[in-house]
Amino acid sequence: MNKLQTKDKFQIKFVDSIEQLNAIEWNEIVGTKNPFMRYEFLHALESTGCTNKQTGWRPHHVATYTVGRNKSLVAIMPLYLKTNSWGEYVFDWSWANAYKSYGYQYYPKFVTAAPFTPSAGNRIFIHKKYRGEGLLKLIVEKIKEKAKLIGASSWHVLFPTEEEHDALGLLGVQPRIATQFHWQNKGYESFNDFLTFLNSRKRKSIRKERKYVHDHGITFRRTEGACITEQQWADFYLFYQSTYLMRGMQGYLELEFFHVVAETMPEQLVLINAVQGDQDIAAALFFKNEETLFGRYWGCRFDHQFLHFEACYYQGQEYAIEHGLKSFDAGAQGEHKIRRGFEPIFTYSNHWLANQGFAEAIAGFLREERPHILEYSKEANNLLPYKDVID
């Protein structure tokens, strides 16, 4: 008797709400190490109206089940039907414009990502018992079929792991690389210990910045997730929205979202408030797991020189050292991070386009872009402030 083909052993469903999936089953497959992929985070986004049709992030998650009487969930992939490119941090505006100039529609498109979160991690989750069963190939095929059926122009997988990036590339989902800057805790005993590893000019510059903030009477208060008060959340949300308004934009997230994650995953949150006199003037919200600190959202009431660097970088570095965390992901972009000890790392994305002509054109663009990214990363490494010898 011949073995069943992979497609005969599994059934793939597209669900338009994460609530159609069981939270325990989701987290058993996905885990909770990556705070931005766990059920609670994605459900909070959806239930508070941050990811829906109106915001351009319509859930369309992929759930894979075994076929038969004892049907079980064996693979999960977050998926959104997007009608814009906001909140993605892998820029494809020029691709959308090119489509439009030729009379084609770029939107809707499929996106697999942690919404509004440029943090790398696994994006396609397969139960360990079923890895090597050809499931990834089957999922890719089904997404392409679905995209063609509903008229989606493309599918984009944003910030996957390098392993996923390579595997998707082999399946024809075009690979793209970019650069972020992350800080690595190399066993430092304190922030001052970290500074001793920098060259004298950068070390003095950081100390000068921190002294400036201190001399203006600004102190910092750290609050772990479960202890963050309603007033702190209200102040933080005001700061968060004010920062966007200064750029003529509105923040993507609702206040209720922060309340929900504070209730459902408090162990992965820490809020750092900047205090001047008896008033909170700024705040930075971080997520964390047992190895990594993730700097995500920030805002301020008053614009003070160096306050952003202190609240979002130096306080985070200190926290990571004190809690034995191995790394600190402070978000996308930011060449100013280099002189503060953040090292360039590669981030990844993969892209499939239904239109063959545009797929070939973008493949050419990505081939031309890649050596520039590699050179940029090399140059950034040469600008790191770490000293080679004791000065």
Side-chain angles (χ1 to χ4, degrees):
M1 186 181 195
N2 293 329
K3 263 185 143 180
L4 288 173
Q5 296 295 316
T6 298
K7 65 182 179 180
D8 299 319
K9 296 163 62 178
F10 302 103
Q11 178 185 23
I12 291 181
K13 293 184 177 181
F14 293 85
V15 300
D16 58 10
S17 172
I18 196 170
E19 291 185 351
Q20 296 177 34
L21 300 171
N22 181 276
I24 295 175
E25 289 183 329
W26 179 292
N27 283 340
E28 282 180 350
I29 295 174
V30 172
T32 56
K33 181 177 179 179
N34 183 338
F36 313 114
M37 286 284 101
R38 64 184 287 182
Y39 185 94
E40 291 82 355
F41 182 85
L42 297 177
H43 182 266
L45 287 171
E46 185 179 323
S47 65
T48 60
C50 300
T51 51
N52 57 28
K53 185 176 181 180
Q54 288 68 40
T55 63
W57 284 88
R58 182 179 177 183
H60 213 65
H61 305 309
V62 181
T64 304
Y65 297 86
T66 54
V67 173
R69 186 166 55 183
N70 298 318
K71 183 176 73 170
S72 60
L73 183 66
V74 297
I76 290 172
M77 188 189 75
L79 184 68
Y80 295 89
L81 187 64
K82 290 294 305 293
T83 53
N84 57 50
S85 291
W86 295 108
E88 296 177 12
Y89 301 94
V90 177
F91 303 111
D92 63 351
W93 300 104
S94 61
W95 302 359
N97 290 336
Y99 261 68
K100 186 176 181 179
S101 68
Y102 280 89
Y104 293 95
Q105 292 294 321
Y106 190 65
Y107 305 107
K109 63 178 183 176
F110 276 145
V111 170
T112 293
F116 320 115
T117 308
S119 181
N122 286 100
R123 295 293 180 258
I124 304 172
F125 301 89
I126 299 174
H127 191 288
K128 60 183 178 181
K129 183 179 177 181
Y130 295 94
R131 291 169 195 165
E133 293 274 353
L135 262 182
L136 178 60
K137 182 178 180 182
L138 178 62
I139 291 169
V140 169
E141 290 173 353
K142 290 297 182 181
I143 291 171
K144 291 178 180 179
E145 289 177 9
K146 188 70 171 182
K148 292 175 181 177
L149 179 65
I150 67 174
S153 71
S154 49
W155 173 42
H156 309 267
V157 183
L158 310 183
F159 300 102
T161 63
E162 183 177 7
E163 181 181 6
E164 289 173 324
H165 172 77
D166 292 341
L168 288 168
L170 292 174
L171 293 172
V173 190
Q174 299 183 42
R176 188 181 190 183
I177 61 171
T179 304
Q180 284 186 358
F181 301 96
H182 292 191
W183 182 78
Q184 307 299 323
N185 181 5
K186 301 172 184 177
Y188 303 118
E189 296 181 1
S190 65
F191 189 85
N192 281 332
D193 182 37
F194 156 63
L195 290 181
T196 64
F197 288 83
L198 307 185
N199 63 55
S200 59
R201 186 165 64 89
K202 294 297 189 295
R203 185 167 62 240
K204 291 175 182 177
S205 175
I206 290 173
R207 284 176 172 159
K208 182 179 179 181
E209 290 178 0
R210 303 200 80 186
K211 185 177 185 300
Y212 181 94
V213 173
H214 179 269
D215 288 349
H216 280 75
I218 300 174
T219 59
F220 293 85
R221 181 179 70 252
R222 300 176 189 169
T223 311
E224 299 292 336
C227 298
I228 302 172
T229 67
E230 290 287 329
Q231 187 59 54
Q232 282 179 285
W233 282 122
D235 288 341
F236 165 76
Y237 190 69
L238 174 65
F239 303 152
Y240 163 75
Q241 287 290 0
S242 295
T243 299
Y244 276 92
L245 289 173
M246 285 189 288
R247 293 178 284 171
M249 301 172 62
Q250 184 173 352
Y252 296 117
L253 304 175
E254 302 293 338
L255 175 59
E256 184 61 20
F257 163 78
F258 295 106
H259 286 311
V260 172
V261 293
E263 180 180 348
T264 58
M265 48 190 293
E267 73 282 3
Q268 291 192 287
L269 298 175
V270 59
L271 182 68
I272 298 181
N273 287 87
V275 184
Q276 190 174 47
D278 59 355
Q279 186 179 38
D280 287 357
I281 63 169
L285 181 64
F286 301 79
F287 286 73
K288 62 179 179 176
N289 59 30
E290 64 273 17
E291 294 183 349
T292 304
L293 184 69
F294 305 89
R296 286 281 70 92
Y297 313 112
W298 135 271
C300 60
R301 190 189 304 270
F302 308 114
D303 187 19
H304 283 272
Q305 190 175 17
F306 306 130
L307 180 57
H308 175 261
F309 299 143
E310 178 66 42
C312 296
Y313 302 151
Y314 304 145
Q315 288 291 319
Q317 289 166 311
E318 277 195 338
Y319 185 93
I321 292 170
E322 292 173 13
H323 290 79
L325 303 180
K326 295 180 180 179
S327 61
F328 176 22
D329 164 8
Q333 306 171 354
E335 294 179 354
H336 51 274
K337 296 174 186 171
I338 299 172
R339 58 181 177 272
R340 294 171 174 87
F342 289 77
E343 304 176 31
I345 63 129
F346 289 115
T347 59
Y348 306 97
S349 61
N350 292 77
H351 309 269
W352 170 82
L353 295 100
N355 184 293
Q356 189 59 34
F358 277 102
E360 292 172 359
I362 287 174
F365 167 79
L366 296 179
R367 283 194 299 271
E368 293 179 5
E369 180 188 55
R370 188 179 184 89
H372 296 289
I373 301 297
L374 295 173
E375 182 62 26
Y376 173 76
S377 180
K378 182 179 178 181
E379 291 176 358
N381 262 305
N382 291 333
L383 295 174
L384 286 169
Y386 297 98
K387 58 189 179 183
D388 295 323
V389 294
I390 297 176
D391 53 2

